[in-house]
Amino acid sequence: MESLSEILGKQLKDNQWGPRYQKLIAAAEQDPDVTEFLRQHQTELTKEDIIRSASKLYEFVNFKKKLAAGGKTFMPGYYPYLTLSNHHIEVTYTPTKEYLTQKKAQEVKNRVKIISLPKSIRHAQLADYDPEGREEIFDAALRFFQEFQKNPHEFHKGLYLEGSFGVGKTYLLGALANALAEKGYSTTLVHFPSFAVKMKSSISSNSTGELIESIKKAQILMLDDIGADQMSSWFRDDVLGVILQYRMQEELPTFFSSNLSLRQLEDEYLTVNSRGEAEPLKAKRIMERIRFLADDYHVVGRNRRN
Ligand code: ADP
Ligand code: MG
């Protein structure tokens, strides 16, 4: 078999292709993939075919060179292959295994939207969850996980996790969200007191409506640490009330975690507004929605912080 430079040599001179191109043709000749490809297809490829496809060999070798040097290619994550199609050499790009794995991990990650919670929650896993003493809530979380997947378009009640500081409420919510993301479902997990602060500051920028929209429409919503701040009437009725009303109407899964029991949430958080006035009826309306959306569980156990 004639060598590539022999085949292309005359052509190169005739066309006065640049020295850079000539170098690449020389490199193509050295490339084991190119030589193997030409060897495999020597009966199908004429000299003219190879001359016509020189630019493709150039593209192939150049791309591989960039990859080997760790440079950015025009198709990141893809690897080139030579193929033959009707006497033309073509370069086909296929995603690498690492790229596909990485892409899938990114997609899973994107399904969990975390608002104002520590990044570490991204690593929470149901498999790592230590259920000791907390079998009941762990079972409830697993039940939701299974039932929801069987019928994601039907209404499934979420959980209201009540328990003291550090018993692992946020951890369990995060682990559940990550597990659901693996199965293709999206969760928004919000640190509720920080969300309240964000909402207040959004008034001046007129983005309140937008913020509420993005939260209320989440496929699965988890409101973490509800009751940890002080509630204003506006926030209770026009923000929390609106979100819960929507989720009730649309029957969207909603979770809560709190240091307060449902009774305490009603009396200590929702009833008294920031001006110190009692608004028990307004509080009752919110409570109805919470009870509709979630089953109440008491999380016990030791403080796991540190
Ligand atoms: P809470 O939200 O109830 O205040 P966290 O979920 O923040 O508690 O948990 C407190 C700490 O304990 C965190 O650092 C968390 O990662 C860890 N943790 C909680 N539950 C578990 C568990 N079941 N297995 C392993 N680590 C846990
Ligand atoms: Mg927490």
Side-chain angles (χ1 to χ4, degrees):
M1 191 170 79
E2 254 178 298
S3 80
L4 200 55
S5 48
E6 276 164 356
I7 296 171
L8 296 174
K10 190 172 169 299
Q11 195 74 15
L12 287 171
K13 274 190 215 113
D14 290 355
N15 289 299
Q16 296 185 318
W17 283 338
R20 206 171 115 74
Y21 197 94
Q22 290 190 36
K23 247 202 218 140
L24 268 148
I25 293 303
E29 194 180 24
Q30 307 271 311
D31 189 289
D33 292 336
V34 173
T35 39
E36 177 57 22
F37 180 84
L38 294 177
R39 197 190 58 74
Q40 269 181 19
H41 297 284
Q42 54 183 306
T43 50
E44 303 145 79
L45 281 168
T46 64
K47 224 189 260 187
E48 287 69 35
D49 293 337
I50 296 175
I51 290 168
R52 238 187 299 114
S53 299
S55 67
K56 291 294 172 184
L57 294 174
Y58 170 89
E59 179 184 327
F60 177 73
V61 174
N62 200 20
F63 196 98
K64 284 209 330 181
K65 208 173 117 189
K66 264 203 188 136
L67 273 184
K72 204 169 158 62
T73 65
F74 67 88
M75 281 176 93
Y78 281 68
Y79 197 85
Y81 295 91
L82 291 173
T83 49
L84 190 59
S85 135
N86 195 22
H87 293 280
H88 286 277
I89 298 174
E90 297 288 350
V91 189
T92 310
Y93 295 91
T94 318
T96 60
K97 263 207 195 81
E98 300 85 63
Y99 176 70
L100 291 177
T101 313
Q102 202 190 350
K103 201 171 137 208
K104 179 170 182 259
Q106 189 57 46
E107 280 165 7
V108 168
K109 196 176 162 204
N110 289 347
R111 287 190 201 112
V112 182
K113 196 168 159 202
I114 291 182
I115 304 178
S116 309
L117 278 164
K119 287 234 159 36
S120 60
I121 207 69
R122 291 227 171 260
H123 306 297
Q125 293 291 327
L126 286 177
D128 296 340
Y129 190 78
D130 163 21
E132 206 207 317
R134 298 173 298 181
E135 290 81 1
E136 199 194 355
I137 58 152
F138 189 54
D139 284 353
L142 289 181
R143 215 177 310 127
F144 175 89
F145 180 60
Q146 271 147 14
E147 295 299 316
F148 179 76
Q149 284 178 76
K150 272 189 224 154
N151 247 324
H153 300 297
E154 250 172 41
F155 179 54
H156 298 276
K157 268 185 126 170
L159 312 177
Y160 180 95
L161 301 177
E162 176 224 332
S164 52
F165 185 75
V167 294
K169 303 181 297 294
T170 304
Y171 186 93
L172 182 60
L173 292 180
L176 179 58
N178 290 334
L180 287 162
E182 287 280 345
K183 302 290 178 187
Y185 304 108
S186 304
T187 299
T188 300
L189 180 50
V190 200
H191 183 243
F192 197 69
S194 311
F195 170 62
V197 172
K198 238 189 216 166
M199 283 301 298
K200 258 174 236 154
S201 58
S202 76
I203 297 173
S204 56
S205 61
N206 271 329
S207 54
T208 316
E210 237 170 82
L211 258 172
I212 295 180
E213 282 293 291
S214 71
I215 300 275
K216 80 176 189 188
K217 291 189 170 158
Q219 185 173 30
I220 298 152
L221 178 65
M222 300 177 170
L223 302 178
D224 191 44
D225 245 341
I226 185 169
D229 54 349
Q230 219 201 10
M231 181 67 102
S232 69
S233 305
W234 168 73
F235 191 74
R236 179 192 57 210
D237 304 329
D238 296 343
V239 180
L240 181 60
V242 167
I243 291 171
L244 298 184
Q245 177 67 23
Y246 182 84
R247 300 199 64 84
M248 207 168 103
Q249 269 166 7
E250 302 295 318
E251 303 194 332
L252 297 170
T254 311
F255 290 73
F256 306 85
S257 91
S258 182
N259 288 349
L260 307 176
S261 67
L262 286 175
R263 175 117 298 259
Q264 285 173 313
L265 190 78
E266 179 171 350
D267 295 344
E268 295 167 27
Y269 183 61
L270 295 169
T271 299
V272 185
N273 69 19
S274 42
R275 289 189 302 276
E277 300 152 359
E279 300 176 309
L281 287 178
K282 301 243 163 135
K284 282 219 157 32
R285 276 179 67 189
I286 302 283
M287 290 312 294
E288 267 166 28
R289 292 170 194 166
I290 294 177
R291 288 204 173 86
F292 176 90
L293 289 165
D295 285 324
D296 182 20
Y297 285 90
H298 193 160
V299 192
V300 286
R302 61 185 169 84
N303 185 343
R304 287 179 179 255
R305 293 186 199 218
N306 310 314

